[in-house]
């Protein structure tokens, strides 16, 4: 799946208001050295609040809500979300980020946590670890062995953070696993290791694993979500302008799938914009409702081009923003259904 994440940084930047977030030509260059010649940053200590981008006992960007939506309710939430953020380290001078990079942490918080993790804060306590993410440049390399080692190191941190969360914060509560892009690569591994056919599976409300194609048969015991209120299931989507297919479609999207985050089904009928709940603009102030028609096309999701100027084919960076209100309402629905199912048992 090499180079998939590069789309995250070449699409929609000005259009959704996240201007200059990821505008770096140098970020398209692979790291200069092989992995063995690279000094690995020290591992995070998840006992420290600085190793977390969001936690319900901290003041952070995940506490925010845009105008006109259901209020943040982390303190009253009965479910947790463990959110794994996408790539936000743009440099090409190394393979894995260091957690002491204050500029990187600010970028992660201001753009990713604020625009993506906040979607869960009406229904869930939000936990989002920092981790030694692989650099954007790592997705441009031809050195696949080094790339895999960098991704494995990043997952090592995500795994450690999740284990720390289970030991110190979870207290047997149900949970959602959510992620985007590189975060979804790690999220799939996490769900497969800790939930799929494991005792913890009964605690899984749902897994929102967007922006990274993964085969339908990846999970053996956890089904793909087929309806808006289904629980214990996993879902994915990859968003493109109507009529567009990625150049790497047959390679990266082989055997993968998308659900429609407006209907929350895999139905291939076109859905009118009237059903669209709301698109959160990158200024975190404006929500555009009934803005997008949508349709599953093969293994990806098509939407009307929401921007009339400088149109983009690949809407990867908007996988959450484009359906922000739709996701928020769906999380509430699945949480409600899961809790009701538990009471009935």
């Amino acid at each position: 799946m090499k180079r998939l994440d590069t789309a995250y940084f070449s699409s929609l930047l000005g259009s959704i208001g996240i201007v200059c977030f990821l505008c770096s030509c140098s970020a398209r260059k692979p790291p200069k050295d092989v992995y063995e010649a690279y000094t690995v940053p020290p591992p995070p200590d998840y006992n420290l609040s600085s190793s977390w981008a969001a936690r319900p006992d901290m003041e952070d960007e995940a506490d925010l809500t845009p105008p006109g939506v259901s209020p943040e309710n982390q303190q009253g939430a009965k479910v947790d979300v463990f959110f794994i953020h996408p790539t936000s380290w743009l440099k090409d001078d190394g393979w894995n980020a260091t957690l002491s990079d204050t500029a990187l942490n600010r970028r992660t918080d201001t753009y990713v946590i604020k625009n993506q993790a906040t979607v869960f804060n009406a229904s869930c306590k939000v936990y989002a670890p920092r981790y030694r993410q692989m650099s954007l440049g790592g997705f441009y390399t031809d050195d696949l062995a080094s790339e895999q080692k960098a991704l494995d190191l990043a997952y090592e941190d995500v795994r450690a953070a999740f284990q720390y969360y289970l030991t110190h914060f979870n207290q047997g509560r149900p949970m959602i696993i959510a992620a985007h892009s590189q975060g979804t690569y790690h999220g799939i591994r996490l769900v497969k290791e800790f939930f799929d056919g494991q005792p913890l599976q009964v605690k899984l409300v749902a897994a929102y694993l967007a922006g990274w194609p993964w085969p339908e048969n990846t999970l053996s015991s956890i089904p793909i979500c087929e309806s808006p209120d289904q629980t214990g299931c996993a879902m994915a989507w990859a968003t493109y302008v109507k009529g567009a297919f990625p150049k790497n479609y047959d390679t990266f999207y082989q055997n993968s799938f998308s659900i429609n985050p407006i209907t929350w089904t895999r139905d291939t009928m076109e859905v009118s914009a009237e059903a669209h709940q709301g698109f959160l603009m990158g200024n975190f102030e404006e929500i555009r409702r009934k803005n997008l028609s949508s349709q599953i096309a093969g293994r990806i999701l098509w939407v009307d081009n929401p921007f009339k100027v400088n149109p983009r084919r690949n809407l990867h960076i908007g996988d959450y923003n484009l359906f922000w209100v739709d996701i928020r309402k769906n999380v509430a629905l699945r949480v409600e259904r899961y809790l009701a199912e538990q009471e009935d048992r």
Side-chain angles (χ1 to χ4, degrees), residues 1 16 33 128 208 235 246 253 283 323:
M1 297 181 184
I16 66 170
D33 299 318
Y208 293 78
M235 68 202 90
Y253 291 85
N283 60 14
F323 315 102

Side-chain angles (χ1 to χ4, degrees), residues 205-208 214 216-217 222-237 256-268 296 330 333-334 337:
V205 176
Y208 293 78
W214 49 281
E216 291 188 49
N217 63 357
I222 297 172
I224 304 303
C225 297
E226 302 282 356
S227 64
D229 63 349
Q230 185 178 353
T231 63
C233 57
M235 68 202 90
W237 64 92
S256 67
F257 69 98
S258 284
I259 58 94
N260 188 328
I262 293 179
T263 63
W264 302 99
T265 73
R266 301 169 72 182
D267 194 304
T268 58
I296 298 297
N330 183 254
L333 177 62
R334 292 189 202 269
R337 173 55 64 91

Side-chain angles (χ1 to χ4, degrees), residues 332-345:
L333 177 62
R334 292 189 202 269
V335 166
E336 181 182 18
R337 173 55 64 91
Y338 178 91
L339 296 175
E341 289 170 347
Q342 297 307 301
E343 289 183 0
D344 291 340
R345 289 180 181 175

Side-chain angles (χ1 to χ4, degrees), residues 182-344:
Q182 180 181 164
T184 288
Y185 172 85
H186 305 308
I188 294 164
R189 292 182 67 174
L190 192 78
V191 169
K192 191 166 181 64
E193 178 178 357
F194 285 88
F195 294 89
D196 193 23
Q198 303 299 317
L200 205 57
Q201 183 173 335
V202 297
K203 295 294 184 180
L204 182 67
V205 176
Y208 293 78
L209 301 171
W212 187 281
W214 49 281
E216 291 188 49
N217 63 357
T218 299
L219 304 172
S220 59
S221 299
I222 297 172
I224 304 303
C225 297
E226 302 282 356
S227 64
D229 63 349
Q230 185 178 353
T231 63
C233 57
M235 68 202 90
W237 64 92
T239 316
Y240 284 81
V241 168
K242 185 177 180 180
F245 284 95
K247 293 180 181 179
N248 54 8
Y249 178 75
D250 289 335
T251 302
F252 291 146
Y253 291 85
Q254 186 176 16
N255 301 321
S256 67
F257 69 98
S258 284
I259 58 94
N260 188 328
I262 293 179
T263 63
W264 302 99
T265 73
R266 301 169 72 182
D267 194 304
T268 58
M269 294 291 292
E270 184 171 10
V271 180
S272 77
E274 287 295 312
H276 178 231
Q277 297 290 324
F279 161 25
L280 175 64
M281 297 292 286
N283 60 14
F284 209 72
E285 293 292 330
E286 180 185 358
I287 291 177
R288 296 185 179 180
R289 303 178 190 274
K290 301 183 179 182
N291 188 251
L292 300 172
S293 67
S294 59
Q295 184 177 13
I296 298 297
R299 298 180 289 276
I300 61 174
L301 174 70
W302 279 350
V303 298
D304 286 336
N305 183 8
F307 315 108
K308 306 308 179 185
V309 179
N310 192 26
R312 305 282 184 170
R313 292 171 19 126
N314 188 343
L315 305 184
H316 180 68
I317 198 172
D319 281 330
Y320 272 78
N321 283 71
L322 292 169
F323 315 102
W324 198 92
V325 180
D326 303 81
I327 298 169
R328 191 175 186 82
K329 291 187 175 183
N330 183 254
V331 170
L333 177 62
R334 292 189 202 269
V335 166
E336 181 182 18
R337 173 55 64 91
Y338 178 91
L339 296 175
E341 289 170 347
Q342 297 307 301
E343 289 183 0
D344 291 340

Side-chain angles (χ1 to χ4, degrees), residues 146-161:
S146 291
E147 178 187 42
Q148 190 60 57
K149 289 175 183 177
L151 287 169
D152 288 345
L153 183 76
Y155 178 68
E156 181 182 309
D157 288 355
V158 171
R159 186 180 191 276

Side-chain angles (χ1 to χ4, degrees), residues 81-82 84 162 175-179 187 190-191 195 204 206-209:
V81 62
F82 189 85
I84 311 165
F162 186 68
M175 68 196 84
I176 287 171
I177 303 298
L190 192 78
V191 169
F195 294 89
L204 182 67
Y208 293 78
L209 301 171

